[in-house]
Amino acid sequence: MKFADLTDLFERISTTTKRLEIRALLAEHLKGVSEQDMAPMVYLLQGQLRPEYEGVELGVADSLARKALASASGASEEKVRAEASRSGDLGTTAEALLRSQGKAGGGAPLALLDVYRELKEIAQASGEGSQETKIDRLSKLLLKASPTEAKYLVRFTLGKLRLGVKEMTVLDALAVVYGGEEPRKARTVIEGAFNVTSDLGEVASTLARTGDLEALARLRAKVGKPIRPMLGEREASLKDVLERMEGRAALEYKYDGLRLQAHIPSAEGAPVRLFSRRLEDVSAQFPEIVRELPGALTVRPAIVEGECVPVDPTTGELRPFQEISRRRGRKYDLERFEEEVPVRFFVFDVLLAGEEQVLSLPYPERRERLERIVKLGDRVQLATREVVDQVPEAERFFQQALTDGCEGVMAKSLAEGSSYRAGARGFWWIKYKREYTHELADTLDAVVVGAFWGRGKRAGRYGALLVSVYDAQEETFPTLCKVGTGFDDATLESLTKQLRDKQVESRPEEVLSTLTPDVWIRPTLVLELRGAELTLSPIHRAALGRVREGYGLALHFPRFTGRVREDKGAEQASTTEEVVRLYQTQVRRAAEETSSEGTELKDTPPQRPAEPPPKGPF
Ligand code: AMP
């Protein structure tokens, strides 16, 4: 195939923005493309050299392209710059300059594959002298190109092709060409193959080679090629969730972190790769996960999916998602951040285990496989889950998830057809989150009733404290939360000393707690805390039964403000009455914001999809 055939297609496509017209032009063109040319053509069409997840970039800056163009056209760099700022597009300038100077073309037509190879060489040039190499190669290529070819070459190298050909349009066009009588059915098969490989070039060239849709069904998930993630729907209540799942579902903690798809190759020492939800390679940002994963799995190669969440290293408690963003996109100082923002990887699915494509198994079998192959370690853990068939059970699990620092639950269908639907959003997974995520306006003054010994660098000191509010009616101290955040090491050291003579052998009678800390402490010391919100808790005892039978209230994401309330005795700590009032205000505020369509809410109450799908998790 000639490169000019592709640039002709570009010219035609650039005259329209209508998806149907683009599809028709593309389909017409695709019919004649050979197997060899197919993948490069599909990549170039999208302004890429390789599938997007590989992140291959040409590394050609404006200044570099201007130099190459000046050299190819014989115009001075000043002239190229002036013309480009007039036209606003260096591609158009390239076309005009080459045309007016009559320099371009003339020789043998450029072959698509030669251009593709040359562009790859340009992309690969790196290190010392690479800029000169890039300029030299590009200018030679431009010398051989026609004015129209040069226009697109320049736009391509600058990453400004912008033809508006979306992946989905290419899939549509392939379905028209290879779908025979049933393009709709073909479209589903083709998209399915794309979802598993994330590589349009591979899908298109497989079709060009075999002309057979069946061949696509044989494309397999492979280590190193990210699978497009399965996504969940929402429901308005846990009752609706259970109904949708025909009365029984697995509930998993919905961790609030970063979704990672981990690819672990079979060869010893071969690199583990981590892909984000958007299929970017983020392996470099989580070196400790990369290190630990090979030893955490009994089977290789493997592809597992999970959520990467910041944790408090001394208590193991989950931390707010925002903390992980400090590590995202980082190139330097990774070791420091590994220590400062430690993370844990909670795996929730397995897509490849050894040679077996686990992807197509129903969820219960995948989960069972996952439990079998994961060796729990410090950084790799399984997502907490429970199978439920009653609403109260589901509620209790949901509240427990919140108490443990999660944002809700992910319900997973146990049905026969609950295979991993790569790239699809459906009712096989249903998310159910807490409805408000405000920072509590008020601080709370809580009294220390127990402590947990720290680990790691906090060894020998308290790592977290168990704190209570005061129930003035009963004259008791029911627990409100466990708090390990907001203390610097010096404070923890001094608190440990200060509280030493307040330690007691067993739970003081007036303290109400279902948790047993490492040491019990007589309620005397009051600390000021902040938190995200108050939540119902099956564990903490503050205001037990006041909002809901069997539940207390807990402070979510608590942190010490740094203020020890030396002016307050234990009985002056915040009371259960105050906590109940605060909870009610919070609920009221959430309701008000919802009714006035408060866009601030992270996740407004789940809405039903426009067209309710049929019963069962379809
Ligand atoms: P959302 O981003 O609100 O649409 O929720 C879906 C996301 O929840 C997924 O993409 C994952 O990143 C995350 N998640 C956390 N825990 C789980 C879990 N147990 N199963 C599936 N997804 C989870």
Side-chain angles (χ1 to χ4, degrees):
M1 183 177 157
K2 292 190 302 245
F3 183 54
D5 294 339
L6 183 61
T7 55
D8 280 352
L9 175 68
F10 287 174
E11 288 280 85
R12 273 176 276 140
I13 288 178
S14 64
T15 60
T16 177
T17 51
K18 297 203 179 80
R19 183 171 165 173
L20 282 183
E21 285 178 19
I22 297 179
R23 182 178 80 183
L25 287 168
L26 208 53
E28 196 46 44
H29 178 82
L30 283 172
K31 275 184 197 149
V33 180
S34 72
E35 179 200 342
Q36 255 190 334
D37 289 328
M38 187 59 109
M41 205 234 47
V42 166
Y43 297 137
L44 291 175
L45 190 65
Q46 310 234 299
Q48 293 164 0
L49 286 171
R50 293 287 305 152
E52 195 166 356
Y53 64 82
E54 287 191 16
V56 175
E57 301 215 348
L58 274 141
V60 173
D62 268 25
S63 59
L64 212 143
R66 278 200 304 269
K67 283 201 173 82
L69 179 56
S71 154
S73 65
S76 69
E77 266 187 74
E78 288 68 44
K79 176 160 183 188
V80 171
R81 185 198 297 271
E83 293 287 323
S85 68
R86 216 181 345 264
S87 72
D89 165 35
L90 194 61
T92 310
T93 301
E95 183 179 34
L97 277 176
L98 293 191
R99 188 158 283 143
S100 71
Q101 307 205 351
K103 286 233 172 202
L110 283 169
L112 175 94
L113 281 182
D114 290 337
V115 173
Y116 180 68
R117 241 174 260 130
E118 200 53 38
L119 290 170
K120 271 172 81 178
E121 295 283 342
I122 294 174
Q124 273 155 14
S126 67
E128 210 177 316
S130 63
Q131 298 296 307
E132 288 71 26
T133 310
K134 285 179 198 267
I135 296 174
D136 187 46
R137 284 188 174 266
L138 181 56
S139 85
K140 287 199 175 117
L141 196 54
L142 290 174
L143 258 182
K144 289 191 233 162
S146 73
T148 310
E149 288 172 329
K151 171 170 76 180
Y152 287 107
L153 278 172
V154 167
R155 287 189 188 160
F156 185 90
T157 50
L158 293 176
K160 292 179 182 161
L161 197 55
R162 297 203 191 110
L163 287 167
V165 183
K166 306 244 163 46
E167 284 161 344
M168 293 302 140
T169 314
V170 180
L171 296 179
D172 287 348
L174 286 170
V176 171
V177 178
Y178 294 98
E181 303 288 290
E182 295 186 290
R184 268 172 179 274
K185 220 162 132 194
R187 177 67 170 72
T188 310
V189 177
I190 294 169
E191 185 169 348
F194 175 57
N195 284 337
V196 170
T197 58
S198 301
D199 186 347
L200 265 185
E202 183 176 4
V203 172
S205 62
T206 305
L207 281 173
R209 187 179 69 246
T210 62
D212 180 10
L213 288 170
E214 296 274 306
L216 290 186
R218 290 192 292 275
L219 283 183
R220 292 288 177 236
K222 279 194 217 90
V223 162
K225 277 179 172 285
I227 297 162
R228 298 169 81 75
M230 176 166 177
L231 303 167
E233 281 286 357
R234 300 168 176 199
E235 274 296 0
S237 71
L238 286 166
K239 183 165 165 281
D240 291 347
V241 169
L242 275 180
E243 267 170 24
R244 174 78 66 181
M245 297 206 164
E246 291 172 343
R248 194 162 169 270
L251 296 187
E252 294 182 357
Y253 275 13
K254 185 175 188 304
Y255 298 92
D256 193 5
L258 204 67
R259 182 171 186 164
L260 292 182
Q261 195 177 89
H263 289 233
I264 303 101
S266 51
E268 203 63 50
V272 167
R273 297 180 76 186
L274 306 176
F275 293 101
S276 72
R277 177 174 169 154
R278 293 171 52 206
L279 313 187
E280 296 155 327
D281 187 333
V282 292
S283 321
Q285 284 163 44
F286 301 103
E288 69 272 48
I289 305 286
V290 165
R291 274 197 311 272
E292 192 162 311
L293 267 173
L297 295 172
T298 56
V299 173
R300 280 190 263 161
I303 302 178
V304 294
E305 221 172 35
E307 194 86 352
C308 187
V309 194
V311 288
D312 183 321
T314 50
T315 62
E317 279 167 30
L318 304 183
R319 302 285 313 133
F321 161 71
Q322 288 77 348
E323 293 188 4
I324 218 171
S325 54
R326 291 174 58 206
R327 284 181 69 156
R328 290 220 64 189
R330 226 159 241 293
K331 295 217 169 75
Y332 310 104
D333 261 0
L334 287 166
E335 269 172 34
R336 180 159 70 83
F337 279 89
E338 188 177 322
E339 228 171 78
E340 277 185 22
V341 188
V343 292
R344 193 164 277 170
F345 186 40
F346 291 93
V347 284
F348 55 72
D349 220 320
V350 53
L351 315 181
L352 179 77
E355 293 313 316
E356 200 185 354
Q357 300 275 322
V358 201
L359 205 68
S360 47
L361 296 178
Y363 162 80
E365 287 180 48
R366 295 202 310 281
R367 173 73 193 201
E368 187 255 328
R369 198 69 47 107
L370 186 66
E371 288 176 13
R372 222 177 326 133
I373 67 168
V374 173
K375 286 192 277 176
L376 302 183
D378 192 31
R379 299 208 176 83
V380 180
Q381 301 260 318
L382 278 169
T384 302
R385 80 147 201 175
E386 204 171 293
V387 174
V388 299
D389 56 10
Q390 302 293 327
V391 177
E393 268 180 283
E395 287 275 345
R396 187 197 38 74
F397 186 79
F398 171 70
Q399 296 299 345
Q400 184 187 319
L402 296 189
T403 308
D404 285 347
C406 292
E407 57 172 353
V409 289
M410 198 65 151
K412 303 209 168 161
S413 163
L414 301 166
E416 194 53 24
S418 57
S419 58
Y420 188 91
R421 313 265 158 154
R425 188 182 286 288
F427 282 87
W428 304 94
W429 287 8
I430 305 176
K431 58 190 169 191
Y432 181 72
K433 298 199 224 178
R434 69 172 187 275
E435 289 170 15
Y436 23 82
T437 56
H438 280 287
E439 167 90 0
L440 267 193
D442 269 333
T443 54
L444 284 170
D445 296 327
V447 57
V448 182
V449 295
F452 299 84
W453 292 114
R455 285 184 266 151
K457 67 182 170 67
R458 285 190 181 172
R461 291 184 223 129
Y462 296 154
L465 302 172
L466 184 63
V467 298
S468 290
V469 285
Y470 182 52
D471 188 333
Q473 210 95 51
E474 305 288 328
E475 300 186 333
T476 53
F477 293 93
T479 62
L480 177 72
C481 61
K482 198 172 148 187
V483 54
T485 305
F487 303 94
D488 58 29
D489 290 350
T491 312
L492 277 177
E493 180 124 59
S494 92
L495 284 178
T496 310
K497 279 195 196 128
Q498 199 179 337
L499 290 171
R500 192 165 292 146
D501 62 349
K502 306 279 190 308
Q503 287 184 19
V504 285
E505 288 288 298
S506 56
R507 180 173 60 82
E509 223 179 301
E510 68 276 30
V511 172
L512 306 182
S513 174
T514 59
L515 294 177
T516 307
D518 294 328
V519 291
W520 290 106
I521 293 166
R522 227 165 347 99
T524 47
L525 185 75
V526 179
L527 305 178
E528 188 183 72
L529 305 183
R530 254 190 199 291
E533 66 192 88
L534 288 162
T535 55
L536 286 169
S537 166
I539 293 163
H540 291 289
R541 306 278 91 176
L544 182 66
R546 291 286 298 277
V547 177
R548 183 175 303 173
E549 182 135 37
Y551 288 88
L553 289 175
L555 185 59
H556 200 45
F557 287 136
R559 60 178 193 281
F560 176 47
T561 63
R563 230 176 128 202
V564 177
R565 297 300 306 253
E566 277 156 346
D567 54 331
K568 285 192 166 185
E571 280 84 358
Q572 280 87 46
S574 300
T575 61
T576 48
E577 291 305 326
E578 282 178 71
V579 171
V580 170
R581 269 200 306 279
L582 213 51
Y583 179 81
Q584 284 162 346
T585 316
Q586 176 190 289
V587 170
R588 225 179 7 255
R589 194 162 38 147
E592 279 162 18
E593 292 209 15
T594 308
S595 62
S596 63
E597 295 188 351
T599 45
E600 246 191 276
L601 293 181
K602 190 172 165 201
D603 199 38
T604 45
Q607 287 151 15
R608 288 184 169 276
E611 272 179 62
K615 202 158 165 45
F618 292 92

